[in-house]
Amino acid sequence: MIEILVLYYSAHGSVREMAQLVARGVNQTGAVARLRSVPPVAPRTQVAEPPVPEDGAPYVELADLEQCAGLALGSPTRFGNMAAPLKYFLDTTGALWAKGALVGKPAAVFTSTASLHGGQETTLTSMMTPLLHHGMLILGLPYTLPEVNLTASGGTPYGASHWAGPADDKPLTDDERSLCIALGKRLAETAMKLAA
C-alpha cells in the first residue's frame, strides 16, 4: 500500500483543516494518508511536550518520513517563511539526508496566511528548499485546474494556500478546498506511478 505523509504545523486550525483535505485527496486515489503534526517550540527553555498531543494528529517521527512514498508539507506563514516548529523538525532530518532516504520521492506544500499578500508563495518556496536538498521531486498545482485561475483568495501553482484573515476566521473557500484535495490526489497519483 502506498502511504503519503501529510505533515503539518497548525497554530489556529486552518492548516490542520487544509491537511485533512489534502489527506482526503490522497485517500481518493487508493493510497493512504498518514496525518502527522509537529509540536510547538518556544524561544525559552520549557518542559517538553508530551509524545502524543491532546488532540489532532500524532507528532511525527523520523520513521514516518523514511517510510512514506510521498510527502505533503504544510505550515502557516511567519513573515513569508514556514513556522519555527516545522523548520525545527526539518532541521533534525540530517541523518535521513545523509543516507538519501527521501531521494526521488514526490513532495508538495501548502500554507495559510492572515493577509492576502502575507507571503503565501514565499512560504511555499521556503518549504521546498529543504525538500530539494533531500532530493525530493516537487509538485505544484497546474493551471489546467480551473481553480488556480479563478481563485480570489488562496491557491497558487506552487501549492495549495488559504487566506485565513487576521483573526483566522475566514473559512476555506470552495476553490481553496478543491485545490487542497487536488494537491493530495496529484501527489498520491505521482507516488503510485513512481512505485510502479
Side-chain angles (χ1 to χ4, degrees), residues 174-195:
D174 289 344
D175 287 340
E176 291 171 339
R177 295 173 67 80
S178 293
L179 290 171
C180 287
I181 293 168
L183 188 68
K185 287 176 73 171
R186 187 160 197 252
L187 178 59
E189 288 167 353
T190 301
M192 289 189 290
K193 286 176 185 174
L194 290 170

Side-chain angles (χ1 to χ4, degrees), residues 27-62:
N27 292 334
Q28 288 177 1
T29 66
V32 175
R34 179 187 293 194
L35 276 166
R36 293 292 184 267
S37 65
V38 296
V41 295
R44 296 181 349 183
T45 302
Q46 62 185 40
V47 176
E49 289 287 324
V52 179
E54 291 183 23
D55 65 348
Y59 293 138
V60 69
E61 298 177 359
L62 290 177

Side-chain angles (χ1 to χ4, degrees), residues 124-176:
L124 294 171
T125 57
S126 80
M127 288 190 287
M128 290 177 189
T129 302
L131 305 182
L132 288 165
H133 277 259
H134 273 287
M136 299 191 86
L137 308 173
I138 306 299
L139 300 174
L141 290 167
Y143 278 96
T144 53
L145 295 167
E147 297 88 352
V148 176
N149 281 309
L150 301 175
T151 183
S153 55
T156 77
Y158 306 101
S161 61
H162 166 58
W163 175 29
D168 198 35
D169 58 355
K170 288 180 163 294
L172 272 81
T173 66
D174 289 344
D175 287 340
E176 291 171 339

Side-chain angles (χ1 to χ4, degrees), residues 39-119:
V41 295
R44 296 181 349 183
T45 302
Q46 62 185 40
V47 176
E49 289 287 324
V52 179
E54 291 183 23
D55 65 348
Y59 293 138
V60 69
E61 298 177 359
L62 290 177
D64 293 313
L65 214 59
E66 190 167 14
Q67 294 164 4
C68 74
L71 171 66
L73 192 63
S75 173
T77 292
R78 294 293 182 266
F79 302 105
N81 205 332
M82 74 180 97
L86 191 60
K87 175 72 167 72
Y88 181 84
F89 171 74
L90 291 172
D91 285 348
T92 71
T93 62
L96 296 180
W97 169 83
K99 63 182 181 178
L102 302 178
V103 171
K105 293 181 181 184
V109 292
F110 57 99
T111 191
S112 177
T113 56
S115 62
L116 184 56
H117 302 290

